Amino acid sequence: MKETDTVTKNPNDGEAWGRLAKAYKEILRQSHGELRADSAGRAMFELSKDAYEKCLALLPNDSLWHYGYAELLWAHYYFDIYFMGKEDTQGILPTVLQKLQTALALDPNNQQAKDLLAEISYAMPDAVRMEGDTFVLLGLTATPIPPTPYLLPSETPQATPERSTPTQPAAITPTDSSPQPIAKNPLCGSAFLLPALFGLVWISKRRADF
């Protein structure tokens, strides 16, 4: 891969690391936005993730690369964790929201970051709520609950612990430049099936540039 040679020769080239991260992401992403689940796909996910982190270590003020990294992590979270009813032990969702919050703090006109937050709001209204032009990041402040697995129509859902109402949700505004701290565990919506299916349609229509 061309970008692999570039970062080998120029390890301090943040743009090259970003392009390498995006190249891996494009290879492992499938038609509906989900990531390859085979061993090669998992390896490429880690390579893409590491490349994004190196990119942002060198270019911490680049809004677009923060968005690109958030998009990679969102695809992993939505399809491999949330959709499968697994627990987010690594706090992937809060990291996604923090990266998007940072992207918009650096560039309030970053439309791709806004579109991804709107997508998350559509698929998981318990994680992001839209209030006019403001995104309220409930996933950074709400008390986490266990995930709700996907249930077939014939199955009986288990009782879900009562959710506490967040008191001070994080909101993205043009003057908000301080990312919120990452929560240890993310929010996983209990009203899962309908938003998840709509989210599949939304994700399949959006393509990333970073």
Side-chain angles (χ1 to χ4, degrees):
M1 189 179 295
K2 176 183 176 182
E3 298 301 342
T4 302
D5 294 335
T6 302
V7 297
T8 299
K9 296 175 183 176
N10 303 285
N12 293 321
D13 187 339
E15 289 289 331
W17 280 110
R19 291 191 299 270
L20 178 62
K22 179 179 181 293
Y24 282 125
K25 181 172 65 178
E26 291 300 313
I27 293 172
L28 67 95
R29 186 165 52 185
Q30 302 188 80
S31 59
H32 292 291
E34 71 272 25
L35 305 180
R36 285 174 51 180
D38 61 333
S39 58
R42 290 192 295 272
M44 279 188 286
F45 170 78
E46 293 298 330
L47 289 170
S48 181
K49 181 174 176 287
D50 290 345
Y52 271 121
E53 290 176 354
K54 288 183 173 67
C55 167
L56 291 173
L58 294 165
L59 301 173
N61 297 321
D62 193 307
S63 174
L64 290 172
W65 290 124
H66 279 282
Y67 155 76
Y69 188 24
E71 188 198 40
L72 172 74
L73 295 179
W74 167 245
H76 170 57
Y77 174 80
Y78 184 74
F79 290 102
D80 300 335
I81 299 174
Y82 178 69
F83 198 78
M84 301 303 293
K86 296 179 180 179
E87 185 177 357
D88 184 8
T89 58
Q90 295 181 321
I92 300 297
L93 179 60
T95 303
V96 170
L97 298 182
Q98 186 188 50
K99 293 300 177 185
L100 292 174
Q101 185 181 52
T102 300
L104 288 176
L106 293 168
D107 178 10
N109 296 316
N110 185 331
Q111 189 59 48
Q112 290 170 304
K114 292 179 182 179
D115 289 345
L116 183 52
L117 277 171
E119 176 183 310
I120 296 172
S121 174
Y122 193 67
M124 296 180 60
D126 287 338
V128 176
R129 184 175 70 234
M130 296 182 65
E131 294 183 354
D133 294 331
T134 299
F135 294 95
V136 181
L137 306 185
L138 302 171
L140 290 180
T141 58
T143 302
I145 62 171
T148 301
Y150 177 89
L151 295 177
L152 296 176
S154 61
E155 293 180 309
T156 301
Q158 300 297 316
T160 302
E162 183 178 352
R163 185 195 315 277
S164 62
T165 302
T167 56
Q168 294 181 337
I172 293 179
T173 63
T175 58
D176 184 2
S177 60
S178 300
Q180 297 294 322
I182 299 176
K184 292 183 179 179
N185 292 298
L187 189 67
C188 211
S190 57
F192 170 74
L193 181 56
L194 188 57
L197 294 177
F198 283 140
L200 287 172
V201 176
W202 187 306
I203 291 171
S204 67
K205 293 180 180 179
R206 182 176 52 78
R207 303 298 295 174
D209 296 322
F210 294 88

